[in-house]
């Protein structure tokens, strides 16, 4: 073939040329093709299709040769004679067809026409034509209405006979009466059909007359032909014989399927094509086709350029295989032509005819590139132009004498083969492909698990292309390549979609099944490519290259839309590239080109991202800078983040496209732009607000921060090495400080409003309901901590990313929480104190008495031995307040853990400047003053006692604190603490007052103390015995802490405030019970128990009650001792029952613990006087009294422990609380109580020496000084205030419940591990002969304390600054 041979020249050079083409556009790599006109392609396709018609197997048919026609014999003279039986019937119900018969008959007639009738006699074509003619008249509405009304069978029979007669007369000669007998037979079948309908619906039983007449009529009509299924020669038909004849060709386009296909795909009518066929019919003959094959065979033998040569193949083996199969195919094709037109063989000598060799085996399919071509076509004679069932040897046919005129030329003239067969084939396959693609009537292929339904080439088009390829001798692989090249051209011209291109690749790659091989015009593309033509290899590489270029450009264009709301999908493009381009071994991609594309794509995406951000900026930020708000920055940020999240989600499974990450390109472009713009916009907004003297709303700042940190998070994930250009925390920290300041100003109002709306009652649904533990506190404490948590959560929810600033925020909030708690405790304590200090009815009555009446009442009560001890009526609201304080401590501890106070303090400490650079000055100092006790107070009441309490005030007469009242006691003990904050020295005045139920309170005495921070540079606690200006003295324990801006300090201060309030409330409750405790555990009760029958004078004489009594000889029994405590136990039980209704279990144990301490103090007072350097007037108990006291202690111990006798479970105060250091001190009194004075003095000296040695050892072992012994007595040293042996309860040790519990445990351990001689000294106070030792021991303690203080000051000075007396406190 001329085209193949021409293109085989210098094929390697053409391959390199094709591969070196550029990739500028879809049209940049189009190959040079021979121009094929539409008419040329049409004519060559038409002649092949026409040749297929000429060569198709001739149809044969049986032709009947009729005998001379005999005279027609009818079975009846006329139809009227046949219908006489119906006309004689009476018009009754039994002679009419039933209602509904017409519709059923219509269904049966329809079945006959559609071929569904089961009776074989109704399947004849002539019968169907007769029934169809009747059916048209039957379905007319007028006829149906008339029949439904009359319901007469004779009308149906007559109408059918009339229509059958007309139909059968068509096409008959005027003298031909053969149709008449056929009309009788057709009418008989119609009558039989009526009977079948009646019988099938069981209408025969009601109409026997009608059924009989119908049967009679059918019999008459079939008198000469009872078998309706017999041959048509019976029953009077003409006789003759049947012979088989060849059906002649009609040369009508309607009988040419492939010609019709050509007409359709080229857009021509059958008339136009028929005209062309008539025009070229003399030329397009079988002889011309045979001559083409002979000429082609000659060129093949001559190795002419008209056919393929070895130069067109890469391997000689491939060429040999092709040549062998080509010769065989030519022989089969020529024999097929001769079989179709045997006349052609007459011009050839007999010896030249091709012979059949039955022993010859068919060629091996593996040795041919198109092995199944002939077999596929021969399997269906209707679609093939030749049929060869066995191999043929045509070597005997002489072709030398029939060689073409230009046997040695490059071009040859063929009738059916075009000059450039490849170009013509490519043109036609493209036209057929586009026609079938646009054909709406073409059904798509079936959907499979791998491929969707698609329309490509119809079966008719594939048959045409098969014929063209075979007739033009185009190898199957070349057909595939040319088909793909035509598809490529349409894709480059954007005439087909990417899905169609994918379907084409799948179509040419799929291995056809055995069922589909007969319908496929191509073989699989995946085969041995070494047998391909070189021109096919080059063209295929060019196709892949140009498609790759076009797909990459499409990918680039699609990716440019990836930031749009609904971008097109890149999936189809990537699928085609990966599965059809890159996976193909014929395609090789250059890394340099791929890198260049990735760079261009990345640059394009960045430009697109920049344009997208610019549109966002224009949309969300107005042009007028004066109208800028944080809202605009927030909305811009939301748009940026939303876009980034959308892109991240969109490319989650495949983050990179051709080595380019769209998310990175977006973020790297828009986030820096947004950060810079946000920084400039926010700065301008703040400047504008400052110029207008306005403030930007705090919530706007918080929302802006939340949006900015989210953007910074995304920025950090993608650009981890690039710092975010906007210092967010530095710019927006002021909004947090403003919010904290606003919270600080509102905290007092929050607390006051919560208290105002609280009725301080248990939160039960009904008064009769027993409250649970969670219901025993009121709503105010819940409200204030809800406010605290909301305030802290607001800052926490910001997720502030600067640890130092966050720690400072938490420190400021801790200070606010502390102030709120202090306010809450202060208000509750005032209300609680007012409720507890209310005047009883008896006190109100006494207030109205005159002085003389008061004296007479006192004498009367003394004579009757009556003590005015009445149970106190507690308010439930008071207990609820105590519960609130306890609940507040628990909530504050929880809050402390949630805030992570220690971590915040560590962050601040880590960022603090070095010690040398810190400011030395502390502005505020917190003095903790504990009012411990007083001695030898002046008696202000008529009963020889006082009801003392202490008021602390400053030099400006401002009250700072007030203690509780200790009733009827001249040696009271308060143990109450108060915090005083000052910025410099402060003079305080302690005034002891005597409480009176009526009239003004009496002043017992005053003392003053100067609080100077310079005296507390060591931050150690000090004790001061202050002499009152009237009589007696008071002990104050003072410690100092620098008030620091520290979160641990603020939480510790808040905890200490709660615990002190809780302790003061508990003590106020126990004070109401302590009077009866003192009454029941008094020396009077002890004397009454041991004297057994005490005289009235010894009991009622108020002034002689302290006179020593003579011991009785008979000791009280166990029952007497226990009965003496029954009133106290009953009193406890009554009050505990009241408390238990309201107090929580924790508060209940706390009250009982405090009562237990009061019991221990009372029993201790029975045994020994307070510690002092002066002798005491208290009498020492005898052995009998001492035994009674210790038995009381045991009874009370068991009572407060409250062990259940049945279960053995303790319900009272825990054992570790009951067994306190004071309890063990009291238990140890028994060892020294009756020892001689000298022995006690020696023991005291030994213990003092051991204590001093132990303290000296600790000072030598530790780098920091330990707590040193301080003065326990009065005198000059006590006034100066030397360091105390007691541990200071600092704020830092009270910052949460855990530290407070740990400090208490350490205190108890130290008390047990460090025994002292205080109890011995208290016993010696009751020994007059020990007065001198007490004074010497006091001076010894003062000297030791002074030395320890001096050593500690020197040690601290050396540790602070190299021997110089430095410190962080100002000096006067």
């Amino acid at each position: 073939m001329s085209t193949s041979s021409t293109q085989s020249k210098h094929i390697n050079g053409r391959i390199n040329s094709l591969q070196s083409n550029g990739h500028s556009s879809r049209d940049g790599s189009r190959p040079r093709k021979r121009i094929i006109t539409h008419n040329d392609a049409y004519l060559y396709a038409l002649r092949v299709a026409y040749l297929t018609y000429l060569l198709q197997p001739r149809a044969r048919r049986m032709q009947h040769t009729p005998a001379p026609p005999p005279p027609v014999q009818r079975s009846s003279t006329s139809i009227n004679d046949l219908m006489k039986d119906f006309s004689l019937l009476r018009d009754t119900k039994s002679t009419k067809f039933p209602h509904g018969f017409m519709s059923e008959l219509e269904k049966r007639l329809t079945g006959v026409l559609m071929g569904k009738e089961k009776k074989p006699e109704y399947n004849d074509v002539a019968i169907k034509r007769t029934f169809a003619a009747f059916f048209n008249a039957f379905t007319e509405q007028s006829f149906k209405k008339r029949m439904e009304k009359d319901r007469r069978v004779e009308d149906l029979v007559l109408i059918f006979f009339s229509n059958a007669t007309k139909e059968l007369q068509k096409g008959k000669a005027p003298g031909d009466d053969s149709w008449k007998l056929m009309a009788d037979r057709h009418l008989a079948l119609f009558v039989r059909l009526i009977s079948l309908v009646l019988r099938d619906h069981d209408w025969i039983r009601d109409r026997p007359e009608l059924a009989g007449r119908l049967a009679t009529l059918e019999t008459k009509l079939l008198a000469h032909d009872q078998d309706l299924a017999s041959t048509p020669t019976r029953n009077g038909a003409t006789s003759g014989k049947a012979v088989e004849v060849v059906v002649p060709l009609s040369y009508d386009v309607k009988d040419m399927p492939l010609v019709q296909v050509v007409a359709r795909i080229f857009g021509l009518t059958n008339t136009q094509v028929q005209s062309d066929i008539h025009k070229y019919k003399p030329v397009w003959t079988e002889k011309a086709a045979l001559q083409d094959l002979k000429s082609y065979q000659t060129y093949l033998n001559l190795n002419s350029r008209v056919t393929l040569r070895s130069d067109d193949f890469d391997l000689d083996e491939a060429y040999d295989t092709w040549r062998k199969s080509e010769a065989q195919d030519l022989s089969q094709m020529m024999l097929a032509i001769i079989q179709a037109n045997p006349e052609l063989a007459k011009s050839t000598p007999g010896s030249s005819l091709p012979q059949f060799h039955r022993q010859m085996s068919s060629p091996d399919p593996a040795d041919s590139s198109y092995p199944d071509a002939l077999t596929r076509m021969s399997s269906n004679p209707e679609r093939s132009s030749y049929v060869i069932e066995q191999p043929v040897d045509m070597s005997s046919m002489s072709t030398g004498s029939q060689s073409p005129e230009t046997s040695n030329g490059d071009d040859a003239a063929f009738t059916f083969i075009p000059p450039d067969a490849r170009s013509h084939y490519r043109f036609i396959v493209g036209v057929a492909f586009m026609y079938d693609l646009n054909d709406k009537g073409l059904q798509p292929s079936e959907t499979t698990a791998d491929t969707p339904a698609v329309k490509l080439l119809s079966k008719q088009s594939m048959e045409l292309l098969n014929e063209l390829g075979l007739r033009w001798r185009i190898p199957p692989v070349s057909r595939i390549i040319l088909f793909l090249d035509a598809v490529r051209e349409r894709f480059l011209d954007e005439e087909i979609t990417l899905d169609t291109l994918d379907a084409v690749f799948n179509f040419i790659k799929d291995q056809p099944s055995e069922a589909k091989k007969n319908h496929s015009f191509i073989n699989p593309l995946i085969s041995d490519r070494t047998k391909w033509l070189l021109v096919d290899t080059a063209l295929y590489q060019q196709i892949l290259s140009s498609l790759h270029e076009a797909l990459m450009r499409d990918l680039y264009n699609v990716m440019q839309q990836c930031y749009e709301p609904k971008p097109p999908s890149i999936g189809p493009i990537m699928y085609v590239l990966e599965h059809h381009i890159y996976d193909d071994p014929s395609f090789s991609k250059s890394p340099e080109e791929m890198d260049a594309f990735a760079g261009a794509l990345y640059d394009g995406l960045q430009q697109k991202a920049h344009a997208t951000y610019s549109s966002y900026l224009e949309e969300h930020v107005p042009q007028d800078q004066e109208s800028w708000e944080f809202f605009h920055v927030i909305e811009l940020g939301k748009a940026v983040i939303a876009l980034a999240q959308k892109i991240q989600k969109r490319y989650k499974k495949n983050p990179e496209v051709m080595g380019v990450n769209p998310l990175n390109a977006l973020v790297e472009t828009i986030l820096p732009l947004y950060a810079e713009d946000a920084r400039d916009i926010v700065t301008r907004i703040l400047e504008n607000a400052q110029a207008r003297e306005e403030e930007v709303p705090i919530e706007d700042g918080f929302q802006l921060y939340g949006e900015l940190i989210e953007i910074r998070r995304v920025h950090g994930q993608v650009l981890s090495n690039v710092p975010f250009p906007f210092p967010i925390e530095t710019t927006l920290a002021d909004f947090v400080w403003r919010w904290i300041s606003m919270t600080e100003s509102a905290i007092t109002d929050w607390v006051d409003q919560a208290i105002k709306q609280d009725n301080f009652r248990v939160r039960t649904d009904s008064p009769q309901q027993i409250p649970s533990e969670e219901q025993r506190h009121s709503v105010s404490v819940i409200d204030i901590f809800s406010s605290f948590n909301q305030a802290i959560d607001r800052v926490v929810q910001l997720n502030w990313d600067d640890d130092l600033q966050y720690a400072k925020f938490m420190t400021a909030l801790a200070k606010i929480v502390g102030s709120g708690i202090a306010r809450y405790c202060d208000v509750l304590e005032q209300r609680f104190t007012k409720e507890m200090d209310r005047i009883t009815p008896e006190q109100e009555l006494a207030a109205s008495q005159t002085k003389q009446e008061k004296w007479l009442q006192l004498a009367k009560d003394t004579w009757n031995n009556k003590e005015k001890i009445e149970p106190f009526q507690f308010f439930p609201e008071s207990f609820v307040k105590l519960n609130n304080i306890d609940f507040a401590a628990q909530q504050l501890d929880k809050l402390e853990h949630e805030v992570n106070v220690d971590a915040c303090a560590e962050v601040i400490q880590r960022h603090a400047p070095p010690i040398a650079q810190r400011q030395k000055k502390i502005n505020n100092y917190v003095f903790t003053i504990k009012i411990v006790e007083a001695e030898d107070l002046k008696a202000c009441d008529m009963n020889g006692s006082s009801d003392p309490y202490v008021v602390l005030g400053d030099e400006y007469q401002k009250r700072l604190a007030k203690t509780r009242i200790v009733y009827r006691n001249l040696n009271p003990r308060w143990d109450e603490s108060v915090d005083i904050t000052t910025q410099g020295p402060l003079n305080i005045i302690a005034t002891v007052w005597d409480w009176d139920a009526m009239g003004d309170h009496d002043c017992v005495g005053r003392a003053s103390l100067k609080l100077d921070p310079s005296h507390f540079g060591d931050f150690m606690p000090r004790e001061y015995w202050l002499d009152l200006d009237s009589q007696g003295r008071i002990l104050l324990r003072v410690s100092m802490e620098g008030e620091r801006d520290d979160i641990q300090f603020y939480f510790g201060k808040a905890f200490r405030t709660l615990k002190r309030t809780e302790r003061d409330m508990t003590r106020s409750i126990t004070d109401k019970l302590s009077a009866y405790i003192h009454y029941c555990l008094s020396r009077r009760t002890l004397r009454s128990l041991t004297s057994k029958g005490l005289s009235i004078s010894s009991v009622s004489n108020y002034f002689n009650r302290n006179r020593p009594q003579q011991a009785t000889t008979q000791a009280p029994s166990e029952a007497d001792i226990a009965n003496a405590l029954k009133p106290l136990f009953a009193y406890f039980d009554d009050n505990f029952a009241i408390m238990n209704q309201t107090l929580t279990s924790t508060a209940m144990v706390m009250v009982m613990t405090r009562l237990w301490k009061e019991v221990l103090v009372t029993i201790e007072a029975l045994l020994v006087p307070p510690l002092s350097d002066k002798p005491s007037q208290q009498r020492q108990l005898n052995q009998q009294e001492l035994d009674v006291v210790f038995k009381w202690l045991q009874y009370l111990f068991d009572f407060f422990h409250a062990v259940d006798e049945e279960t053995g479970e303790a319900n009272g105060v825990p054992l570790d609380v009951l067994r306190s250091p004071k309890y063990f001190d009291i238990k140890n009194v028994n060892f020294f109580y009756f020892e001689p004075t000298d022995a006690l003095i020696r023991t005291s000296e030994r213990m003092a020496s051991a204590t001093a040695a132990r303290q000296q050892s600790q000072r030598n072992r530790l780098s920091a000084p330990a707590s040193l012994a301080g003065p326990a007595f009065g005198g000059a040293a006590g006034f100066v205030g030397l360091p105390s042996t007691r541990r200071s309860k600092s704020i830092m040790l009270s910052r949460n419940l855990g530290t407070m519990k740990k400090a208490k445990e350490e205190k108890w351990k130290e008390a047990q591990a460090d025994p002292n001689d205080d109890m011995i000294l208290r016993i010696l106070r009751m020994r007059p002969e020990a007065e001198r030792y007490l004074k010497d021991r006091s001076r010894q303690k003062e000297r030791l304390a002074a030395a320890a203080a001096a050593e500690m000051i020197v040690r601290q000075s050396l540790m602070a600054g190299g021997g110089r007396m430095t410190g962080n406190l100002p000096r006067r």
Side-chain angles (χ1 to χ4, degrees), residues 858-1107:
L858 178 61
K860 183 178 179 181
D861 293 340
T862 303
W863 178 263
N864 295 327
N865 196 19
K866 179 181 179 182
E867 292 286 346
K868 295 184 178 180
I869 305 299
E870 300 290 342
F872 188 79
Q873 299 298 323
F874 294 102
F875 288 161
E877 292 83 352
S878 302
F879 294 148
V880 171
K881 293 181 177 66
L882 179 59
N883 294 339
N884 286 0
I885 297 300
D886 179 62
F887 181 77
Q890 299 175 16
Q891 293 299 307
L892 185 62
D893 184 69
K894 181 180 178 181
L895 186 63
E896 192 262 354
H897 285 84
E898 291 176 351
V899 172
N900 201 353
V901 169
D902 294 339
C904 293
E906 181 183 355
V907 170
I908 295 178
Q909 181 66 27
R910 188 168 59 248
H911 290 83
I915 298 178
Q917 300 178 8
R918 297 180 187 176
Q919 295 182 356
K920 303 298 183 180
K921 186 176 180 180
I922 298 179
N923 295 326
N924 295 328
Y925 305 95
V926 179
F927 283 95
T928 301
I929 302 175
K930 184 173 185 179
I931 305 171
V932 183
E933 59 181 339
E935 285 185 355
D936 196 20
L937 297 181
K938 180 179 67 175
C940 298
D941 293 340
M942 293 180 294
N943 57 5
S945 182
S946 294
D947 303 321
Y949 66 91
V950 180
V951 175
L952 289 183
D954 60 8
E955 52 191 321
Y956 303 105
Q957 298 182 353
K958 177 183 178 182
R959 175 182 288 190
L960 301 177
K962 174 181 174 294
T963 68
R964 75 187 192 283
I965 303 169
V966 179
Y967 295 97
R968 292 181 295 277
N969 199 327
L970 298 179
N971 298 295
R973 189 176 184 88
W974 293 281
D975 285 329
E976 296 187 20
S977 301
V978 61
D979 289 339
I980 299 176
T981 303
T982 180
Q983 295 182 351
L986 177 67
N987 292 319
I988 62 170
I989 299 174
T991 304
V992 183
W993 294 88
D994 172 56
W995 179 85
D996 286 328
M998 69 291 279
D1000 296 334
H1001 299 183
D1002 300 326
C1003 180
V1004 178
R1006 293 182 177 88
S1008 63
L1009 176 66
K1010 183 177 183 179
L1011 302 178
D1012 192 343
S1014 62
H1015 296 163
F1016 291 84
D1018 54 1
F1019 295 99
M1020 296 296 294
R1022 286 168 169 75
E1023 292 183 346
Y1024 296 93
W1025 277 103
L1026 304 178
D1027 294 327
L1028 300 179
D1029 56 0
S1030 56
Q1031 175 184 335
R1033 59 182 181 171
I1034 184 172
L1035 176 61
L1036 301 182
R1037 185 177 294 123
V1038 183
S1039 63
M1040 185 195 76
E1041 288 186 271
E1043 186 172 274
R1044 296 178 290 172
D1045 188 18
D1046 184 271
I1047 188 171
Q1048 293 177 329
F1049 178 85
Y1050 291 132
F1051 267 96
K1053 190 175 181 180
F1055 269 110
R1056 191 161 72 171
T1057 301
L1058 286 171
K1059 283 301 177 182
R1060 284 182 177 176
T1061 303
E1062 183 181 68
R1063 182 191 60 201
D1064 292 344
M1065 288 184 174
T1066 305
R1067 182 171 287 166
S1068 296
I1069 293 174
T1070 57
D1071 283 349
K1072 300 304 178 183
L1073 309 179
S1074 61
Y1076 198 68
I1077 295 175
H1078 297 161
Y1079 170 74
C1080 294
L1081 301 179
S1082 63
R1083 284 181 173 252
R1084 180 183 305 173
T1085 306
L1086 187 61
R1087 287 195 301 269
S1088 174
L1089 184 62
T1090 57
S1091 62
K1092 289 293 185 176
L1094 214 60
S1095 64
I1096 295 178
S1097 61
S1098 64
V1099 177
S1100 60
N1101 190 345
Y1102 175 82
F1103 298 100
N1104 297 325
R1105 63 185 177 187
N1106 291 326
R1107 185 176 300 173

Side-chain angles (χ1 to χ4, degrees), residues 455-468:
K455 297 192 306 181
L456 290 178
L457 290 172
S458 64
K459 182 175 66 174
Q460 295 78 9
S461 297
M462 288 191 290
E463 292 173 359
L464 173 64
L465 296 174
N466 232 356
E467 288 294 331
L468 294 176

Side-chain angles (χ1 to χ4, degrees), residues 226-258:
Q226 298 296 329
D227 187 4
L228 296 180
S230 62
T231 61
T233 59
R234 300 188 59 183
N235 197 20
T238 58
S239 61
K241 62 179 181 178
V243 295
E244 186 178 26
V245 297
V246 177
V247 178
L249 296 177
S250 65
Y251 297 98
D252 190 350
V253 173
K254 294 181 180 180
D255 298 329
M256 304 176 185
L258 289 187

